[in-house]
Amino acid sequence: MEQSLSVKYYRWTVFLIASFYFCYGFANTDHSLVGWQYRFLTNWALAMSTLSAFFMLQRSLGRRKGRHEVFASATVVVNFMVVLLYWKIYFADPTQFYVNGIRTIPLWQEYYLHLAGPILQWIDALFILGTFRKFKKTLGLCVGITLSYLVWTELVVGTFNTTPAGSVTSGLPYRFLNNLEFADRAVFYAQNVLVAVVMVFVFTGIAWGLRKLLLAPK
């Protein structure tokens, strides 16, 4: 299946689109801020999606035999967290994504990063590659990535940047975080680690069901 012409076309399409947004992010970020575009979890997810798409394309082209399943599975979870957090914040307070009444990124980029891109990656991971077979390794990688991002946010991004500014602190990438005391931020962070853990269980169940229904490779 992975060597079929339709899958090759799909994987080429996914990889080229992801690569475009990956390069666009570098070209259009504020390089004066420490962390550049990687201040945001969204761009961690995009980098993971681009690398996962490259691995999958190489498999279809016969240049790589490794499945990189654990990485693809973790990318599914991180993408889900990005989508969940973005739309949760957006529906609660859409002004979080505006500066002086102007969107921080254009709509076409925003909807790819927070909806279309993750969906394209999920389709390959769940229906073509067949992921979430290595539960412990996937769980460990997901928790590790989540914790790494949180440490990066607090100790690097928040420490060496002065914008955005809030009522409590400044420099943290998401504006609402700068209005929270550290104890409140710690609770928020813990909730996100828990979400990552829960979603590994959920996606493992979904992947198992897809294999049973013959909608994913066994």
Side-chain angles (χ1 to χ4, degrees):
M1 178 183 182
E2 290 187 68
Q3 281 70 45
S4 69
L5 191 60
S6 59
V7 170
K8 288 180 182 178
Y9 283 147
Y10 180 80
R11 286 180 165 172
W12 265 117
T13 301
V14 173
F15 174 67
L16 291 175
I17 294 174
S19 297
F20 166 77
Y21 281 95
F22 181 81
C23 295
Y24 182 85
F26 269 105
N28 291 274
T29 193
D30 186 345
H31 294 95
S32 68
L33 296 174
V34 174
W36 296 358
Q37 70 270 34
Y38 296 109
R39 292 174 295 130
F40 301 101
L41 183 63
T42 296
N43 289 297
W44 283 44
L46 174 60
M48 293 176 69
S49 290
T50 305
L51 184 57
S52 184
F54 172 77
F55 289 152
M56 299 307 101
L57 177 60
Q58 292 298 298
R59 278 181 56 82
S60 285
L61 297 177
R63 298 174 183 172
R64 184 181 293 268
K65 294 183 179 180
R67 284 171 48 80
H68 300 282
E69 177 194 333
V70 174
F71 184 79
S73 300
T75 303
V76 169
V77 173
V78 175
N79 270 319
F80 178 85
M81 294 177 67
V82 165
V83 171
L84 176 66
L85 290 171
Y86 173 83
W87 291 105
K88 180 180 178 181
I89 295 170
Y90 183 86
F91 286 121
D93 182 11
T95 63
Q96 290 286 327
F97 302 103
Y98 290 79
V99 175
N100 298 323
I102 301 174
R103 282 184 176 272
T104 54
I105 60 174
L107 273 176
W108 56 268
Q109 183 183 15
E110 198 163 339
Y111 287 132
Y112 172 81
L113 294 175
H114 303 108
L115 188 61
I119 289 174
L120 291 174
Q121 194 267 331
W122 295 338
I123 290 172
D124 194 324
L126 293 171
F127 293 95
I128 302 175
L129 180 66
T131 48
F132 291 93
R133 301 168 190 264
K134 299 179 180 181
F135 178 82
K136 291 183 179 179
K137 290 183 178 180
T138 300
L139 181 62
L141 184 57
C142 288
V143 171
I145 290 171
T146 305
L147 290 175
S148 296
Y149 176 74
L150 298 178
V151 171
W152 160 256
T153 296
E154 284 288 331
L155 297 186
V156 179
V157 176
T159 299
F160 295 102
N161 289 304
T162 58
T163 185
S167 59
V168 175
T169 187
S170 62
L172 297 172
Y174 299 100
R175 284 190 285 169
F176 74 94
L177 290 175
N178 295 288
N179 296 323
L180 300 177
E181 297 288 348
F182 178 75
D184 296 320
R185 297 200 303 273
V187 171
F188 177 75
Y189 295 154
Q191 290 173 342
N192 282 278
V193 173
L194 180 60
V195 169
V197 171
V198 170
M199 293 317 301
V200 173
F201 279 93
V202 171
F203 277 113
T204 297
I206 292 173
W208 178 85
L210 291 175
R211 289 194 293 273
K212 287 295 182 180
L213 294 172
L214 303 180
L215 296 175
K218 290 189 174 183

